Every structure is written in structure tokens, then in C-alpha cells.
Amino acid sequence: MTDAGWDDLKLFLHVASEGGLSGAAARTGLSAPTIGRRMLALERATGRTLFVRSQQGYRLAPDGETLLEHVRTMQRTADSIADWNAQAFAMPIVSIGADAWLSGYIGEHTPEIRGREDRFRLCCKSLHKGVDFTYREADIGIVARRPESGNVAIRRSVVVAHSIYRASIYRASALAEDEIMPWVSLGTDNSHSPADKWVFQHHEADIRTWTNSPDILPRLIARGNGRGVLPCFIGDSVPGLVREGGIIAELTYTMWIVANDDDRHRPEVRQVIERLDALFKREAKRFSGDAA
């Protein structure tokens, strides 16, 4: 036998359910002679007699009864796949990729990025090594360097500043009289940006505490483990932290909103870009360390 096509099997299901060609024709819009020819072709393809034909209609032969059960199973599976597919694509997805600091900030401000009436799903990705648009890691990327190549659309955003922070009440008694305050840092294996590496590059000998997670770093500082470098929009928002000194000029950078040029025309992607841009500009002083 040769493989039977799914279209012919679905047509067989209509003929079997309706008990003849005329009923199947009414259900499918095909002519009765066309359906009759296709049922003959199906019988040849399967090498089995599927119908007992008479003036009263098409009655299923034993092999037809067996095939009907198989086709019904296939139809249920096809219906399940269709339902699954419809659920997956009921609403489009917009993914936003940023470093760990910014992805957390974006997560806190999702109500300003997607309203209750917006019909799209949102994925917030923490990509501390940067966003690779070659492999579509995200629809929208928030990056610290202006991409110089690639099929991307670029929008200049706000200035991001960094400063040194310590606990507002530091346990000075924990230090010996001639001892300086220690430093807290990200580990070298998890340091990707210049700000991540700054403490190791300038105060490696005085690091007593480090972590592999940016989320933990401000907590370690706030608990009095020492001083560390944070983006101002993070450090200024953590209770119990104060700045030590001013802005570290060499770590200041301009943030860029980047999207694949093919994706930026999607209404939901364009909408998210506009809202991110408005959010960052509204909070420009906070990002630049001038919120006070």
C-alpha cells in the first residue's frame, strides 16, 4: 500500500459519519462524484475494502470500521494540537533582554510597559553578558554600547551613572584601629561590564566578600560587609545604603534601546519600545545619579 493522505482520511471520516456521499458533500462543499473518486483512491492506497456500497448509501466494511477508529484517534490528536497551537499564539510575545540590574528594574515597572488591556505576553530576560540579536535572544535589548553592525534599529536613551555605596550605619567596631573598610564585589567569573570589574581592578586586596549574583550584591553592602559599586538607580533605591563619594565618571555610559529591524514594526514591539523609552526618560535623573 501507499501512504494515505490526511485530507483523504478526513474526507473518509465525513463519509463514514454521514453514511454516504451526499451528506459528506454537504459538509465539505465538494461534489459527490469527486468524493466517490477519492474514496476509491483511498481504498486502492490502503489495499482494503472500506465501504459496502448500495442504493441506500455507503456502509462501512469491517476494514472501514477499523480505519474509522484510527482516523477518529488521529482527529482527536489533530484537534489537541490545534488547541495547543491556538493557546500558544493567542497573544504574541515581546521579550526584553537587559543586564541583571536593568532587568530587575524593568520587572518592577511592568505595569508601565504593559497595560491591562494590552493583548501581548511579556518576557523579561536577564542577559548579563549582553543581548545577541543574531540568535534572537530578545525582541528588544537594553544595552550599554551602541551596536555598530547588524540588522537592528537603535534608539538613544538615558545616561547611567555608578557610585560607591556603603551601609548608612557601618559597624566601625568590627574594624581594627588601622584597618580600612573592606570591599564587596561580584566575582570575576560573573563580571562582564566595566562597573562589575571596577572593584577587583582597583581594590582587589581589600575584597572580603563577593557574590556571583548582582541581586545579592546590594544586600551584602546594606548588611555592613563593606563598600561596593552599584548603578545609582539601584543604590539610591536600597534602604540603608548611602553613597561614599561622587559619581565614578569612567563608569558612566549611555543606554541604548535596540530591536531587530524586522521585529520593530510589530505593533506590540513598537509599543513596548515607546513605553520603555518614556519610562527611562521620565526617570533620567535617577539613572544619572542626580535624583536627589
Side-chain angles (χ1 to χ4, degrees):
M1 63 167 282
T2 58
D3 291 336
W6 177 231
D7 287 341
D8 283 341
L9 290 174
K10 288 192 293 184
L11 192 56
F12 164 81
L13 182 59
H14 287 303
V15 175
S17 300
E18 298 296 330
L21 302 182
S22 58
R27 289 283 301 275
T28 64
L30 298 174
S31 68
T34 297
I35 297 174
R37 286 193 295 270
R38 288 177 60 175
M39 291 303 96
L40 283 172
L42 180 62
E43 287 180 317
R44 295 190 187 103
T46 59
R48 297 174 184 270
T49 299
L50 303 177
F51 298 103
V52 177
R53 296 164 175 82
S54 69
Q55 292 182 345
Q56 286 71 41
Y58 275 45
R59 180 169 55 84
L60 286 175
D63 281 335
E65 295 280 0
T66 301
L67 180 61
L68 178 60
E69 291 305 313
H70 291 312
V71 175
R72 282 175 172 165
T73 300
M74 292 174 67
Q75 184 64 61
R76 285 194 293 270
T77 302
D79 291 341
S80 297
I81 293 173
D83 291 343
W84 169 79
N85 190 56
Q87 292 170 10
F89 293 95
M91 291 191 292
I93 300 170
V94 179
S95 57
I96 307 171
D99 66 26
W101 305 118
L102 279 165
S103 59
Y105 176 85
I106 290 168
E108 293 174 355
H109 289 81
T110 49
E112 297 169 67
I113 298 169
R114 180 189 56 191
R116 291 184 178 181
E117 303 302 318
D118 289 324
R119 303 300 297 166
F120 62 83
R121 291 175 288 167
L122 197 61
C123 176
C124 299
K125 295 185 176 183
S126 180
L127 303 171
H128 212 53
K129 293 182 180 180
V131 184
D132 188 342
F133 282 95
T134 303
Y135 297 101
R136 298 290 183 93
E137 285 186 311
D139 298 312
I140 302 169
I142 314 299
V143 299
R145 295 176 182 169
R146 187 184 192 281
E148 299 299 331
S149 61
N151 182 35
V152 294
I154 304 167
R155 182 177 296 199
R156 186 187 184 100
S157 190
V158 298
V159 169
V160 180
H162 296 72
S163 187
I164 298 169
Y165 289 84
R166 62 172 175 80
S168 56
I169 302 176
Y170 187 75
R171 296 174 297 162
S173 59
L175 298 177
E177 187 174 341
D178 60 346
E179 191 177 11
I180 63 170
M181 186 185 298
W183 287 83
V184 184
S185 178
L186 284 173
T188 53
D189 290 344
N190 303 94
S191 298
H192 304 289
S193 72
D196 296 340
K197 302 172 184 177
W198 192 89
V199 174
F200 264 101
Q201 291 172 343
H202 293 83
H203 303 281
E204 182 176 5
D206 298 314
I207 298 172
R208 287 193 186 174
T209 310
W210 63 91
T211 176
N212 68 347
S213 171
D215 291 335
I216 298 175
L217 183 59
R219 301 181 191 182
L220 292 173
I221 300 171
R223 293 302 296 171
N225 289 285
R227 61 181 74 144
V229 172
L230 296 170
C232 292
F233 72 90
I234 296 292
D236 290 346
S237 66
V238 177
L241 288 187
V242 294
R243 291 192 203 179
E244 184 178 279
I247 300 298
I248 305 174
E250 65 192 270
L251 298 181
T252 300
Y253 68 86
T254 297
M255 189 162 65
W256 301 85
I257 302 174
V258 183
N260 186 284
D261 199 45
D262 296 329
D263 292 332
R264 70 186 178 101
H265 299 292
R266 290 166 47 198
E268 61 277 2
V269 171
R270 185 170 62 250
Q271 193 172 52
V272 171
I273 290 173
E274 295 296 337
R275 290 176 180 173
L276 284 170
D277 189 38
L279 170 64
F280 295 150
K281 287 178 178 176
R282 189 165 60 250
E283 297 283 321
K285 287 188 175 182
R286 180 177 175 184
F287 281 98
S288 68
D290 192 31

